[in-house]
């Protein structure tokens, strides 16, 4: 698993530009920026929709005032689902929604979790990290409950 002090590996993800699915590279997301990235088991799942993502949306101003450039959310879903999820949670223009549809980035980070028993296939573990200029300076991984990966706990709010 990626750890504090490691560089975020080079990877291509997908996001939406208006109605178009576009590639987005990790270098363009993280280079020369302070980013809080959190990963979730799935868009529209109850915990992620009722608590995890809204926590970051509500804390947007507080997080930005602490010098962050970007709040980003990644999940093993396609870019259209991530966009629809952002629209339904008021996350548009606040949270950069990153789609890792084939779980390649999840595996590359060692933050993948096999949820096949739940009919969900390989997904992200629930995690959060603070990344400065591409280097991980804080990493949190939660189990069942959203604790260390919440906006408040991750960003010290
Ligand atoms: C959730 O509610 O966040 C959740 C549901 C099923 C699997 C993983 C997460």
């Amino acid at each position: 698993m990626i750890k504090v002090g490691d560089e975020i590996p080079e990877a291509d993800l997908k996001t939406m530009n208006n109605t178009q699915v576009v590639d987005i590279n990790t270098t363009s997301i993280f280079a020369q920026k302070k980013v809080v990235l959190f990963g979730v088991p799935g868009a529209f799942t109850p915990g992620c929709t009722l608590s995890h993502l809204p926590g970051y949306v509500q804390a947007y101003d507080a997080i930005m005032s602490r010098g962050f450039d970007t709040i980003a959310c990644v999940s093993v879903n396609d870019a259209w689902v991530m966009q629809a999820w952002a629209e339904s949670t008021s996350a548009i223009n606040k949270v950069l929604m990153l789609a890792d549809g084939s779980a390649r980035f999840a595996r590359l980070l060692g933050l993948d979790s096999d949820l096949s028993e739940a009919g969900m296939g390989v997904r992200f573990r629930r995690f959060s990290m603070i990344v400065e200029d591409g280097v991980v300076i804080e990493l949190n991984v939660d189990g069942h409950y959203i604790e260390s990966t919440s906006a408040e706990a991750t960003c010290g709010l």
Side-chain angles (χ1 to χ4, degrees):
M1 188 192 302
I2 192 162
K3 59 186 187 309
V4 169
D6 288 349
E7 274 198 40
I8 296 288
E10 179 92 16
D12 287 319
L13 297 160
K14 305 277 187 196
T15 193
M16 296 292 284
N17 186 354
N18 297 317
T19 57
Q20 299 294 312
V21 177
V22 293
D23 289 328
I24 184 166
N25 185 275
T26 48
T27 304
S28 71
I29 299 167
F30 295 106
Q32 296 169 11
K33 288 185 187 136
K34 183 174 177 180
V35 179
V36 55
L37 170 70
F38 65 104
V40 297
F44 291 106
T45 59
C48 307
T49 302
L50 297 173
S51 174
H52 211 182
L53 176 54
Y56 282 89
V57 173
Q58 283 153 21
Y60 176 83
D61 288 339
I63 291 172
M64 289 297 145
S65 74
R66 280 168 167 74
F68 285 86
D69 297 293
T70 309
I71 304 171
C73 174
V74 66
S75 183
V76 179
N77 289 107
D78 63 63
W80 294 283
V81 165
M82 292 299 279
Q83 175 85 344
W85 192 35
E87 285 169 359
S88 73
T89 51
S90 303
I92 297 285
N93 295 328
K94 291 188 172 168
V95 180
L96 174 63
M97 303 302 278
L98 300 171
D100 180 33
S102 302
R104 286 196 195 121
F105 189 49
R107 289 190 175 99
L108 204 54
L109 296 179
L111 286 166
D112 53 304
S113 170
D114 187 352
L115 298 186
S116 294
E117 287 303 310
M120 295 169 69
V122 175
R123 298 297 180 109
F124 267 102
R125 296 176 70 175
R126 193 183 296 285
F127 77 92
S128 66
M129 57 172 69
I130 295 175
V131 183
E132 285 191 8
D133 196 16
V135 177
V136 178
I137 63 159
E138 179 183 318
L139 173 65
N140 311 292
V141 180
D142 274 337
H144 189 65
Y145 297 104
I146 302 165
E147 294 169 325
S148 66
T149 65
S150 71
E152 290 77 9
T154 302
C155 300
L157 306 177

